[in-house]
């Protein structure tokens, strides 16, 4: 059995968005902090990794949002290592409301073990594996499922450019994994406005579009002053949900930095329950939909 670790966070006001919910990116920040604590509890804090000349880098995150967190809530984030492969490790997470134990989110993060000098993958030491699995490492993990390919973009693919700012960076000197979610969220807000549906119009009509599940794959790091282009379009439209795809590239050389897909659900602002996607919205968005 793997070691498990639980950390409790009290939701702070500045972590919430305009709907009063914890912003999507902050779930990833909770996950990262809990993972650091879990590693330290197993004897591998950041200083030890630094002495080893190694570090972990997130390759992919898959998170499912089940119930919104609000200001003042206390959430317990439980994490454990699900498996080890030669250079990768899958870490699982559960978010539960303190007191009731209600499951509000769950996630997995695929980490890659790197040599800090070359920034290339390096084999995970066996003693590290044993630290997280005191009873012995688990059986070899099956191959990771590939990130699902997006359908070809429609003629109305939306493109947004932005430059990496100092505030976007973490101590590793590249854009933090959670910041990409802020980029995607801003892109989603701007594409909606471009097709005639600013946030104010949605709110006036009494509904919102909220994320149910997000999967993002990080391919290369973005650094200070990189100019990024975010391209986005929609597929898999159903009664009350749709999938939005995102591609993040570096403008200078066209390098693929990240790709993501989000399952969005249309909900009534008062009840929080799913509603049918308004016909007028689908009509206006038709050029952006596959």
């Amino acid at each position: 059995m793997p070691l498990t670790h639980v950390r409790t966070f009290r939701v702070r006001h500045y972590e919430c968005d305009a709907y009063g919910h914890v912003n999507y990116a902050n779930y990833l920040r909770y996950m990262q902090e809990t993972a650091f604590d879990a590693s330290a509890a197993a004897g591998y804090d950041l200083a030890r990794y630094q002495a080893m000349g190694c570090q972990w880098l997130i390759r992919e995150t898959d998170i499912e949002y089940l119930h919104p967190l609000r200001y003042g809530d206390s959430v317990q984030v439980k994490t454990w290592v699900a498996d080890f492969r030669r250079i990768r490790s899958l870490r699982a997470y559960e978010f539960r409301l303190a007191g009731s134990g209600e499951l509000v989110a769950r996630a997995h993060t695929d980490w890659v073990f790197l040599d800090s000098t070359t920034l290339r993958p390096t084999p995970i030491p066996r003693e590290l594996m044993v630290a997280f699995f005191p009873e012995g490492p688990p059986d070899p993990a099956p191959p990771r499922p590939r990130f699902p390919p997006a359908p070809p973009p429609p003629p109305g693919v939306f493109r947004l450019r932005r430059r990496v700012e100092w505030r976007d960076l973490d101590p590793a000197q590249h854009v933090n994994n959670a910041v990409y979610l802020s980029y995607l969220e801003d892109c989603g807000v701007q594409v909606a406005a471009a097709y005639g549906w600013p946030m104010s119009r949605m709110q006036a009509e009494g509904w919102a579009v909220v994320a149910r599940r997000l999967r993002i794959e990080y391919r290369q790091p973005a650094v200070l002053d990189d100019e990024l282009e975010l391209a986005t379009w929609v597929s898999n439209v159903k009664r009350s949900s749709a999938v939005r795809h995102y591609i993040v590239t570096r403008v200078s050389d066209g390098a693929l930095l990240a790709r993501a897909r989000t399952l969005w659900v249309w909900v009534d602002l008062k009840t929080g329950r799913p509603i049918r996607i308004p016909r007028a919205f689908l009509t206006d968005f038709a050029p952006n939909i596959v």
Side-chain angles (χ1 to χ4, degrees):
M1 294 291 292
L3 294 179
T4 61
H5 187 83
V6 179
R7 177 168 173 176
T8 301
F9 296 86
R10 183 179 180 275
V11 175
R12 292 165 288 191
H13 194 266
Y14 61 79
E15 295 173 327
C16 299
D17 61 19
Y19 293 130
H21 303 162
V22 171
N23 183 267
Y24 305 121
N26 285 324
Y27 287 77
L28 270 63
R29 295 185 173 102
Y30 293 162
M31 290 160 58
Q32 181 172 279
E33 284 299 304
T34 307
F36 287 165
D37 282 359
S39 189
Y44 285 83
D45 60 10
L46 296 181
R48 184 167 183 183
Y49 286 123
Q50 185 175 18
M52 293 168 59
C54 298
Q55 60 182 282
W56 290 100
L57 185 71
I58 294 176
R59 169 70 174 185
E60 185 176 325
T61 292
D62 186 352
I63 181 167
E64 186 178 11
Y65 304 97
L66 303 174
H67 184 81
L69 291 169
R70 301 176 183 276
Y71 171 58
D73 284 343
S74 288
V75 59
Q76 294 177 330
V77 183
K78 178 181 178 180
T79 187
W80 63 96
V81 172
D83 69 36
F84 282 112
R85 298 181 68 191
R86 192 176 73 88
I87 60 170
R88 294 166 72 170
S89 178
L90 190 69
R91 179 171 283 279
Y93 307 81
E94 288 182 349
F95 294 71
R96 293 184 183 273
L97 280 178
S100 70
E102 179 185 0
L103 183 66
V104 296
R106 53 192 166 207
H108 288 87
T109 297
D110 196 7
W111 296 78
V112 179
F113 199 58
L114 301 180
D115 181 291
S116 297
T117 301
T118 65
L119 296 181
R120 296 190 62 81
T122 189
I124 302 169
R126 180 172 176 79
E127 58 269 23
L128 188 153
M129 298 183 189
V130 171
F132 289 92
F133 285 88
E135 299 173 10
D139 294 334
R144 297 278 190 270
R146 292 183 177 274
F147 192 90
V157 58
F158 180 79
R159 302 182 189 276
L160 173 69
R161 290 192 176 186
R162 66 179 306 146
R163 190 170 295 277
V164 173
E165 300 180 33
W166 177 256
R167 63 184 177 184
D168 300 334
L169 306 183
D170 61 18
Q173 298 291 306
H174 55 58
V175 175
N176 183 265
N177 72 101
V179 172
Y180 283 86
L181 268 65
S182 297
Y183 290 170
L184 302 185
E185 183 177 46
D186 182 52
C187 185
V189 170
Q190 295 205 38
V191 65
Y195 280 97
W197 287 90
M199 301 297 285
S200 57
R201 182 180 177 186
M202 297 182 199
Q203 289 181 291
E205 298 209 4
W207 52 266
V209 189
V210 299
R212 170 72 179 196
R213 184 175 181 181
L214 181 139
R215 187 172 177 183
I216 180 168
E217 181 188 51
Y218 307 96
R219 301 293 293 271
Q220 294 187 44
V223 299
L224 184 64
D225 287 331
D226 275 351
E227 185 179 12
L228 311 181
E229 181 174 272
L230 288 82
T232 186
W233 64 98
V234 172
S235 73
N236 301 83
V237 176
K238 297 183 179 179
R239 182 183 183 279
S240 60
S241 67
V243 173
R244 178 165 286 285
H245 305 272
Y246 305 86
I247 299 292
V248 183
T249 56
R250 186 166 49 228
V251 173
S252 62
D253 59 1
L256 175 63
L257 304 187
R259 52 183 178 169
R261 53 182 284 137
T262 303
L263 175 64
W264 292 98
V265 179
W266 277 249
V267 300
D268 183 282
L269 277 174
K270 291 183 179 179
T271 67
R273 298 183 64 83
I275 62 170
R276 183 183 295 274
I277 303 174
R279 184 176 299 276
F281 184 94
L282 290 176
T283 299
D284 292 341
F285 253 92
N288 191 244
I289 299 173
V290 175

